[in-house]
Amino acid sequence: SCLCGSAPCLLCGCCPSAKNSTISRLLFTFFLFLGTLVSIIMIIPGVEKELHKLPGFCEGSGSVLGVQTHINCGSFLGHKAVYRMGFAMASFFCLFAVLMVCVRSSKDPRAALQNGFWFFKFLALVGITVGAFYIPDGAFTSVWFYFGVVGSFLFILVQLVLLVDFAHSWSQLWLRKASESNAKGWYAALCTVTFVLYAASIAAVALLYVYYTKPQGCTEGKALISINLLLCLIVSVVSILPKIQEAQPHSGLLQASLITLYTIYVTWAALANVPSKQDVVWVRARPKGTRGVWSDRKLSAMPNPHPSPRSLRSSDHPQVNKLMLTEEGGRGAGPGEAAEPGPHRAYDNEQDGVSYNYTFFHLCLLLAALYIMMTLTNWYRPDESLQVLRSPWTAVWVKICSSWAGLLLYLWTLVAPLVLPDRDFS
């Protein structure tokens, strides 16, 4: 059953009774973590020097997008290895996303592939990874960079949807508790948290102006900070307008303060990727007849943060539960109805219907793999001569546009009841 069964005994043996759907997601997420760990190992200098020994890894590197070059493939092997590992993970999750289309319950034969055969899934991932390292260099790195950019942008958008829903649900929860218990402590907590979030946002904006702008120059940084600061001020004012409060009684400054702080964070991450003369990695080709890899690295003087905030929680809205891949009540067998009784067994809770959308789950992991790939490579890409790895403006605009998308999404949740009065947004 460990190799082919639907109950992964390696995990269930040390855990209480658990749902098959939960264990399956944990194991797929573990595959993503394992691939990330391998990618990190690949960029360790000692390991990077040995990658040129892989047969076929450097074949086909004499041209990029049809242009002949005179650079050796051994110039930035760690960068290329992370791209191939990202390609392998993305291909693995894409395969399962396609295979699991329209699976409605565990009675579908394809559900067995989702919840079982873990040993063979691991072998498949290893096989795809090995094959990825035999992809001729050529245009692969340059083209796959743009796949990573698009995937990272979509991944950030998913996180923004979760963040906006988290902000609304947080406010609704505390206001409901305050009204039920008639205690002023909940209102005091709301005011305190709102004040702290706005204070942190103001302090962060001040630091951005100090460290990422200059009296003369740095026009881009000044413009991006000022635009996002103005947009945050607009959504804060809109959230407390009388008409908005009448249509959305639970809207307020708590949600706006959280969105503001996140927007300032994304602005910081974007400014850290602004290209400059310091933000390059100089690459020197490996001389003929020698072994090993040399590279003269000139790292950016500015920090380059890339952590992605998570809002993993249960929601009051079934649609968001589907998006966030959380369990919904009243679906499938309950703990007392486990098909395989026992203190350490996984039971099938999806006989009547799946607890989450299999395809969407794998698409989220696919986007996460691409985001991790771009993060580990610091959003660098080779220039036309393959002599320098640069952080292009693409990384900046992906993050800035994602911050604008988050603000627009939050603004829409405020004005939607006024624009579409016939719809129920409760």
Side-chain angles (χ1 to χ4, degrees), residues 57 59 79-89 128-129 132-138 140-141 144 373:
F57 188 37
E59 293 179 1
H79 181 277
K80 297 179 180 182
V82 172
Y83 269 52
R84 280 159 174 76
M85 194 66 221
F87 174 82
M89 290 193 294
I128 295 174
T129 302
F133 278 83
Y134 282 89
I135 298 176
D137 192 42
F140 173 78
T141 302
W144 191 243
M373 179 187 75

Side-chain angles (χ1 to χ4, degrees), residues 3 65 70 72 75 77 90 154 186 209 219 221 240 310 329 348-349 394 410 425:
L3 301 182
L65 297 177
H70 302 284
N72 192 285
S75 303
L77 287 175
L154 295 176
W186 288 107
Y209 275 116
T219 307
I240 56 176
R310 302 291 188 268
D348 185 0
N349 64 313
T394 307
Y410 172 63
F425 290 94

Side-chain angles (χ1 to χ4, degrees), residues 342-363:
H344 299 293
R345 300 302 297 268
Y347 61 88
D348 185 0
N349 64 313
E350 298 181 303
Q351 292 182 358
D352 298 329
V354 295
S355 297
Y356 62 101
N357 188 304
Y358 290 173
T359 294
F360 185 77
F361 171 72
H362 290 294
L363 288 178

Side-chain angles (χ1 to χ4, degrees), residues 151-216:
S152 298
F153 180 75
L154 295 176
F155 179 75
I156 294 174
L157 286 184
V158 172
Q159 299 302 312
L160 286 168
V161 172
L162 304 188
L163 182 68
V164 171
D165 178 75
F166 171 74
H168 282 297
S169 297
W170 185 8
S171 178
Q172 290 176 13
L173 175 64
W174 282 19
L175 288 174
R176 184 169 62 247
K177 288 186 176 182
S179 61
E180 292 175 353
S181 60
N182 198 22
K184 296 181 179 180
W186 288 107
Y187 292 108
L190 275 171
C191 294
T192 302
V193 172
T194 302
F195 174 79
V196 169
L197 292 177
Y198 271 122
S201 300
I202 294 172
V205 169
L207 292 175
L208 290 181
Y209 275 116
V210 170
Y211 289 102
Y212 290 91
T213 64
K214 296 179 181 178
Q216 302 295 331

Side-chain angles (χ1 to χ4, degrees), residues 1 16 86-87 106 255 308 356-357 371 378:
S1 65
F87 174 82
S106 60
Q255 300 98 308
S308 175
Y356 62 101
N357 188 304
Y371 182 83
N378 213 21

Side-chain angles (χ1 to χ4, degrees), residues 144-161 262 266 270 306 308 363-364 366-375 379 393-409:
W144 191 243
F145 170 84
Y146 293 102
F147 279 89
V149 167
V150 175
S152 298
F153 180 75
L154 295 176
F155 179 75
I156 294 174
L157 286 184
V158 172
Q159 299 302 312
L160 286 168
V161 172
Y262 178 77
V266 175
H306 289 289
S308 175
L363 288 178
C364 286
L366 186 158
L367 298 178
L370 294 176
Y371 182 83
I372 291 169
M373 179 187 75
M374 300 305 295
T375 300
W379 294 74
W393 276 98
T394 307
V396 178
W397 288 114
V398 164
K399 295 176 182 180
I400 289 297
C401 290
S402 70
S403 69
W404 294 343
L407 290 170
L408 289 176
L409 179 63

